[in-house]
Amino acid sequence: MLDAYFSQLIAQQNLAHAYAFVGLAYEEKSDLVRHILKELVNADFSDPDQVASLHARIDQGQFADFYQLSPNGRNIQVDQVRELKQWLSLSPVEVDFKLAVVDQAQLLNASSANAMLTFLEEPLDQVYIILFCQQFEDLLPTIQSRVQAIYFQEESGSTKQVKWLAPGIQIDHAALLARLSPQFDENFVAAYEANDFEKWLKQVHYYYKSLLLKDRRAFVQVETGLKPFINKRNDSLNYRRALLSADYLLLLNHALIMLMTNPDWADQQDLVGTYMLKSWLKEEKFSLQALFRMNRLILDLKEKIQANVNPQLAYEYLALAAGQPI
């Protein structure tokens, strides 16, 4: 559970100063905030009676060093953020830390987001802030880059995410792996490097967009970009990455279809590339017919890999097939 993950962070003094809790599970988010508050109290005090008293005030909503900001009307106003910053700048009353929650943080307007940004860029010691939002991409990019996203999924998905988080997988990578991988893979974890994972994601993104645009460079990109990750059929990690790449292509394609048919679509489990896909839709015109065809081609790619076709050849075949007229 996420409770155990945050307990470990606090015990190791590795709690980040800013998080975004993403999803619709409001009660689960609130429960986790209370758990974090109690764990921080436990780290500061050893007297059982004092700890019990502070825990009770947390449960009753009477804890002096906790602040919750909710929208005033349709937006979170800049004056509200200024009041929050003023509160955060004051010394704690009951403990040695302060924690604030911003509910529906996607309703920060340009002015209030800029006011929030000054705090996120220059965090105070022992001061923590948690943003609640339905979709991470609904936050301004400048806010996204300064918080760590925690995705609230259905129970089975959350459990899988925590399994990936436990050995040190980066949070957003763990969330994606929990969606793509049906089971935890110790060999994958042993070889995991965050920078390498990011390079792989970028190569898949570039390849997918090239496919959509019928760009001939998609074929070349298999050799120049994807090959280091998928080439060796006898290498279990590369073979696994080849299948994960196919599953990620399906996930991206599904998300693009959903975004085209419903601009307000909210993916409850979120997706690393959703913000990127939205930007593509502003730049290019894609047809649903082409996307449905792409889905069939990607499924064919996956079948080839599972049938022992060399992954590089399978991805090159997809590049050729995608470039043909519909």
Side-chain angles (χ1 to χ4, degrees), residues 9-25:
L9 288 178
I10 293 168
Q12 297 174 349
Q13 299 183 347
N14 285 329
L15 190 66
H17 78 278
Y19 291 91
F21 285 5
V22 182
L24 291 176

Side-chain angles (χ1 to χ4, degrees), residues 84-324:
L84 170 61
K85 290 172 63 179
Q86 175 64 23
W87 180 83
L88 291 172
S89 68
L90 300 175
S91 299
V93 176
E94 298 188 90
V95 290
D96 294 329
F97 65 88
K98 284 194 163 191
L99 189 150
V101 165
V102 178
D103 190 21
Q104 299 183 62
Q106 70 273 9
L107 298 182
L108 287 162
N109 59 32
S111 298
S112 56
N114 285 334
M116 179 71 69
L117 193 60
T118 58
F119 166 77
L120 295 176
E121 289 176 334
E122 300 176 2
L124 302 172
D125 188 40
Q126 292 287 84
V127 172
Y128 308 99
I129 189 164
I130 297 173
L131 311 181
F132 284 9
C133 62
Q134 294 182 12
Q135 282 191 282
F136 191 56
E137 288 76 14
D138 287 340
L139 301 176
L140 292 177
T142 50
I143 299 291
Q144 292 180 33
S145 64
R146 289 167 175 82
V147 299
Q148 293 188 24
I150 298 292
Y151 297 92
F152 284 73
Q153 309 167 342
E154 58 187 273
E155 184 175 356
S156 60
S158 296
T159 301
K160 287 193 293 182
Q161 180 179 348
V162 172
K163 287 182 179 179
W164 287 106
L165 281 170
I169 303 293
Q170 190 170 299
I171 292 174
D172 53 339
H173 297 167
L176 180 59
L177 287 167
R179 297 192 62 178
L180 296 178
S181 178
Q183 60 185 7
F184 182 75
D185 188 328
E186 292 183 356
N187 292 329
F188 191 95
V189 170
Y192 169 82
E193 291 183 2
N195 289 337
D196 183 63
F197 196 94
E198 282 294 322
K199 290 177 182 178
W200 167 63
L201 288 178
K202 290 179 180 178
Q203 292 299 332
V204 176
H205 293 164
Y206 182 74
Y207 177 71
Y208 177 58
K209 188 174 185 180
S210 297
L211 294 176
L212 292 176
L213 297 176
K214 299 182 182 296
D215 190 328
R216 294 179 180 178
R217 286 174 292 186
F219 184 90
V220 177
Q221 205 253 331
V222 177
E223 172 72 26
T224 60
L226 286 178
K227 182 178 178 179
F229 303 104
I230 65 172
N231 186 44
K232 299 177 182 177
R233 177 60 185 86
N234 60 347
D235 185 312
S236 61
L237 180 60
N238 282 316
Y239 176 65
R240 176 76 183 282
R241 191 76 65 85
L243 287 175
L244 284 175
S245 298
D247 286 332
Y248 189 33
L249 288 170
L250 286 170
L251 197 60
L252 289 169
N253 203 62
H254 169 74
L256 196 54
I257 291 171
M258 295 301 296
L259 288 168
M260 286 184 63
T261 54
N262 179 11
D264 297 323
W265 172 70
D267 179 7
Q268 299 305 309
Q269 296 178 319
D270 220 309
L271 180 62
V272 171
T274 303
Y275 181 79
M276 172 193 69
L277 294 177
K278 288 180 178 178
S279 69
W280 289 1
L281 288 174
K282 294 178 182 178
E283 301 168 358
E284 307 287 348
K285 291 188 179 297
F286 305 110
S287 72
L288 286 175
Q289 182 184 7
L291 292 179
F292 290 137
R293 175 175 177 265
M294 181 66 68
N295 209 68
R296 293 193 298 272
L297 292 176
I298 297 171
L299 288 171
D300 182 60
L301 161 75
K302 189 172 180 179
E303 289 177 2
K304 282 182 170 63
I305 296 172
Q306 292 172 327
N308 294 326
V309 173
N310 180 283
Q312 181 178 347
L313 294 178
Y315 276 88
E316 288 174 344
Y317 179 85
L318 171 58
L320 292 173
Q324 298 300 314

Side-chain angles (χ1 to χ4, degrees), residues 67-69 72 77-90 98 115:
Y67 187 106
Q68 181 147 350
L69 187 159
N72 182 10
Q77 307 296 325
V78 66
D79 288 342
Q80 292 180 274
V81 176
R82 288 171 180 162
E83 290 176 9
L84 170 61
K85 290 172 63 179
Q86 175 64 23
W87 180 83
L88 291 172
S89 68
L90 300 175
K98 284 194 163 191

